[in-house]
């Protein structure tokens, strides 16, 4: 199983800087990695390095596995030499990836760290403590098993869902982990659901602790800030290249596009190349990879009928919707809406099963962009146009991330499904060669009509209302584009920057019960039998 993240970082294995190519090399001491927000079965590992434990955007290092501890086999990527230079004073790194189900809840795994052997000999336990939203909803999200799988050295790119299901089915099973000279026995009880309420630096907070009896030998606190991005105590943003065309808001972007007449895809490509050091060919290959993963996920979801995991006992709908389309007499409008919605259901249900998804912008909203891509492919859209659409979507994700939030724990579902729908609308508009103002207006329209949407998952699972919201988000993406493409662009009264600011304000004022805590709304209104 492989999980690919579209917005934010990609998955990367970097071998130790002094490794000369052996894919079987293993770091000495303990390596501790942190996981991004675990939702359902989600597991995400980020780069961790010796000198400052910094996460490095994968785009600055390489988008394919190279080789590394516990990786089994490595693929020597074209930019391996660049990766070696980037990490020459940062000897250890851990893969960043996903396997699981909602957005990106923070989790902990062994990270780049070397302790003296005498300290390691004293180690008696390795624990993960979950706080805030992670504690409140983590049991239903599979946070404990995903974290334990990581501590056991399972790589997200290769860990099968069956292994995670096995951890849940046998919670008392003892698993051995070797840390230097010490062997520790771990169970699910070592993933501790700590206080859900408190004055935490972020609603998604966790700590990893290496213990020697009652003494803490090492501890570090991590935060999942949304969209797959990880920060931690003492975090400093990694050094990276500067964009060729810097912008902070949509109006800055519009100046380049309208005044300087720079095409949006070209502008974004130039920025990505300047920041990441990648070539246009490498970026295009990655976008094609993302597109392929999305389409496979949708196609799989359309072919499977099942009861989804968890206490809700929710029956999947995507396959039935697609099957009924062949005989429906509801007319072209109903057929079009059902088609798009079924794609959103398909990927959302795959997410609930813990299967392959793409976080765009989060796993909770992971059904929207794939539904858009699938529906564009139905129009026989050229691959180049799909790439252009992805770049436009990334621009919207960037604007929302940096001027508001992508985190349901910070902003409710408007920050997940709302942003995903907005990204989808921009993608459609760009892929269909719309003017820059139409692309912006489409994104604004889709986001505007998600403002105030709460995040209140029933039983803490990304199923109700999340899966159906992905379907609605995809349909609204098309609606936003259709409206924007038929109006006079300059006459739109509300612009994208204003709506993003409104989302940020709404997020700030929203009651915490509706920020992914399962303490309000549907979460407390639906009775499970």
């Amino acid at each position: 199983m492989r999980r690919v993240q579209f917005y934010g970082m990609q998955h990367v294995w970097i071998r130790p800087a002094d490794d000369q190519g052996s894919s079987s090399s293993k770091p000495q001491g303990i390596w501790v990695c942190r996981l991004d927000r675990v939702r359902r079965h989600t597991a995400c590992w980020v780069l961790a390095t010796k000198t400052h434990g910094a996460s490095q955007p994968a785009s600055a290092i390489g988008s394919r596995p190279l080789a590394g501890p516990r990786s089994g086999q490595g693929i020597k990527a074209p930019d391996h030499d660049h990766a070696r230079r980037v990490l020459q004073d940062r000897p250890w790194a851990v893969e960043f990836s996903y396997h699981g189900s909602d957005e990106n809840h923070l989790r902990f795994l062994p990270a780049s760290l070397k302790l003296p052997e005498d300290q390691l000999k004293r180690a008696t336990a390795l624990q993960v403590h979950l706080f805030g939203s992670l504690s409140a909803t983590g049991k239903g999200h599979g946070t404990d098993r995903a974290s334990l799988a990581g501590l056991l050295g399972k790589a997200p790119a290769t860990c099968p869902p069956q292994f995670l299901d096995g951890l849940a089915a046998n919670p008392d099973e003892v698993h051995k982990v070797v840390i230097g000279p010490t062997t520790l026995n771990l169970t699910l009880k070592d993933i501790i659901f700590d206080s859900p309420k408190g004055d935490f630096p972020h609603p998604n907070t966790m700590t990893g602790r290496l213990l020697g009896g009652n003494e803490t030998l090492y501890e570090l606190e991590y935060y999942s800030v949304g969209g797959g991005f990880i920060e931690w105590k003492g975090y400093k943003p990694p050094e990276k290249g500067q964009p060729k065309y810097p912008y902070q808001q949509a109006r800055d972007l519009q100046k380049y596009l309208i005044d300087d007449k720079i095409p949006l895809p070209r502008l974004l490509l130039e920025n990505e190349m300047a920041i990441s050091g990648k070539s246009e060919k490498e970026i295009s290959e990655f976008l094609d990879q993302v597109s392929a993963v999305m389409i496979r996920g949708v196609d799989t979801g359309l072919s499977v009928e099942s009861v989804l995991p968890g206490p809700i006992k929710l029956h999947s709908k995507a396959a039935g919707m697609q099957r009924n389309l062949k005989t429906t007499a509801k007319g072209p409008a109903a057929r079009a809406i059902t088609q798009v919605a079924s794609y959103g259901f398909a990927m959302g249900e795959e997410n609930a099963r813990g299967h392959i998804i793409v976080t765009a912008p989060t796993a909770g909203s992971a059904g929207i962009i794939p539904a858009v891509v699938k529906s564009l492919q139905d129009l026989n859209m050229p691959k180049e146009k799909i790439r252009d659409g992805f770049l436009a979507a990334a621009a919207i994700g960037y604007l929302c991330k940096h001027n508001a939030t992508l985190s349901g724990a910070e902003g409710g579902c408007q920050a997940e499904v709302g942003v995903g729908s907005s990204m989808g609308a921009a993608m459609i508009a760009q892929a269909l060669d719309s003017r820059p103002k139409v692309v912006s207006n489409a994104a604004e329209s889709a986001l505007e009509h998600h403002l105030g949407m709460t995040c209140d998952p029933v039983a803490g699972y990304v199923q109700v209302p999340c899966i159906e919201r992905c379907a609605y988000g995809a349909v609204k993406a098309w609606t936003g584009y259709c409206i924007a493409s038929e109006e006079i662009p300059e006459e739109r009264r509300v612009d994208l920057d204003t709506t993003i600011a409104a989302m940020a304000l709404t997020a700030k004022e929203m009651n915490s019960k509706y920020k992914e805590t399962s303490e309000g709304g549907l979460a407390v209104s639906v009775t499970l039998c």
Side-chain angles (χ1 to χ4, degrees), residues 191-212:
I191 314 301
I192 298 166
F193 292 90
D194 219 310
S195 176
K197 296 184 182 296
D199 187 19
F200 309 119
H202 190 277
N204 299 320
T205 293
M206 60 146 284
T207 60
R209 295 173 185 168
L210 181 67
L211 301 174

Side-chain angles (χ1 to χ4, degrees), residues 128-437:
V128 174
H129 287 250
L130 306 172
F131 300 92
S133 178
L134 295 180
S135 177
T137 62
K139 179 63 72 172
H141 298 169
T143 306
D144 48 355
R145 49 187 155 163
S147 298
L148 180 57
L151 291 173
L152 297 177
K154 295 295 182 182
T158 57
C159 181
Q162 294 86 347
F163 180 82
L164 297 174
D165 294 340
L167 294 179
N170 303 284
D172 296 325
E173 183 178 356
V174 175
H175 305 270
K176 295 186 181 299
V177 171
V178 178
I179 299 180
T182 301
T183 298
L184 301 178
N185 294 325
L186 302 184
T187 71
L188 277 179
K189 294 178 182 178
D190 291 300
I191 314 301
I192 298 166
F193 292 90
D194 219 310
S195 176
K197 296 184 182 296
D199 187 19
F200 309 119
H202 190 277
N204 299 320
T205 293
M206 60 146 284
T207 60
R209 295 173 185 168
L210 181 67
L211 301 174
N214 294 325
E215 179 186 356
T216 298
L217 303 177
Y218 179 78
E219 176 181 83
L220 192 57
E221 186 172 88
Y222 300 97
Y223 323 107
S224 175
V225 297
F229 292 93
I230 301 292
E231 295 178 3
W232 53 93
K233 202 167 187 177
Y235 170 83
K236 292 182 180 179
E239 294 182 6
K240 54 188 177 182
Q242 295 302 308
K244 184 175 180 179
Y245 303 104
Y247 63 91
Q248 296 298 321
Q249 296 184 306
R251 60 175 172 267
D252 302 328
L253 198 52
Q254 291 291 325
K255 291 178 182 177
Y256 295 120
L257 305 179
I258 297 174
D259 296 348
D260 299 334
K261 294 183 170 34
I262 303 171
L264 179 59
R266 173 47 52 187
L267 182 150
L268 295 168
L269 268 174
E270 293 288 347
N271 277 0
E272 182 65 17
M273 288 189 289
I275 293 170
S276 70
K278 285 186 175 183
S279 67
E280 182 173 341
K281 182 176 182 291
E282 289 173 310
I283 295 168
S284 294
E285 287 176 348
F286 176 69
L287 294 178
D288 291 345
Q289 179 189 21
V290 169
S291 181
V293 171
M294 287 183 170
I295 294 300
R296 282 199 301 271
V298 172
D299 288 344
T300 300
L302 291 174
S303 66
V304 178
E305 292 187 81
S306 68
V307 175
L308 300 176
I312 302 175
K313 307 302 180 185
L314 187 67
H315 290 259
S316 63
K317 296 180 181 178
M321 294 174 71
Q322 190 68 203
R323 184 176 58 251
N324 294 339
L325 268 175
K326 298 176 181 177
T327 57
T328 186
K330 294 178 182 177
R335 283 184 60 84
I337 292 171
T338 303
Q339 183 91 310
V340 174
S342 71
Y343 297 158
F345 269 103
M347 198 59 152
E349 289 166 359
E350 280 296 277
N351 183 44
R353 296 182 182 107
H355 293 174
I356 302 173
I357 66 163
V358 179
T359 57
T362 67
S365 56
I368 298 170
I369 300 294
V372 167
V373 175
K374 179 71 171 176
S375 57
L376 286 173
Q377 282 203 351
D378 289 345
L379 301 176
N380 297 316
M381 190 67 58
K383 190 175 288 188
E384 295 77 12
K385 296 297 182 182
I386 298 289
R387 292 175 195 150
D388 290 350
F390 270 124
L391 291 168
I396 301 304
Y398 170 85
L399 290 169
C400 292
K401 167 69 170 63
H402 289 273
N403 293 296
T405 180
L406 303 179
S407 169
E410 282 187 312
C413 200
Q414 61 173 358
E416 296 195 35
V417 169
V419 174
S421 185
S422 182
M423 291 168 65
M427 181 178 199
I428 296 166
Q430 183 60 55
L432 294 173
D433 291 323
S434 299
R435 294 166 47 193
K437 187 65 174 172

Side-chain angles (χ1 to χ4, degrees), residues 83-144:
R84 192 182 292 280
R85 290 195 300 273
V86 171
L87 294 178
Q88 52 187 288
D89 66 338
R90 292 169 266 175
W92 309 117
V94 179
E95 181 175 9
F96 176 79
S97 184
Y98 275 84
H99 64 61
S101 140
D102 161 56
E103 188 187 349
N104 12 312
H105 263 354
L106 193 66
R107 311 158 261 192
F108 176 85
L109 278 170
S112 99
L113 151 79
K114 291 177 72 176
L115 292 177
E117 187 167 313
D118 61 334
Q119 275 190 282
L120 292 176
K121 287 180 179 179
R122 294 165 50 208
T124 58
L126 185 59
Q127 294 180 343
V128 174
H129 287 250
L130 306 172
F131 300 92
S133 178
L134 295 180
S135 177
T137 62
K139 179 63 72 172
H141 298 169
T143 306
D144 48 355

Side-chain angles (χ1 to χ4, degrees), residues 445-457:
S445 180
L447 181 60
E448 178 181 332
H449 299 292
H450 286 91
L451 290 179
M453 181 176 280
T454 60
C455 183
D456 46 0

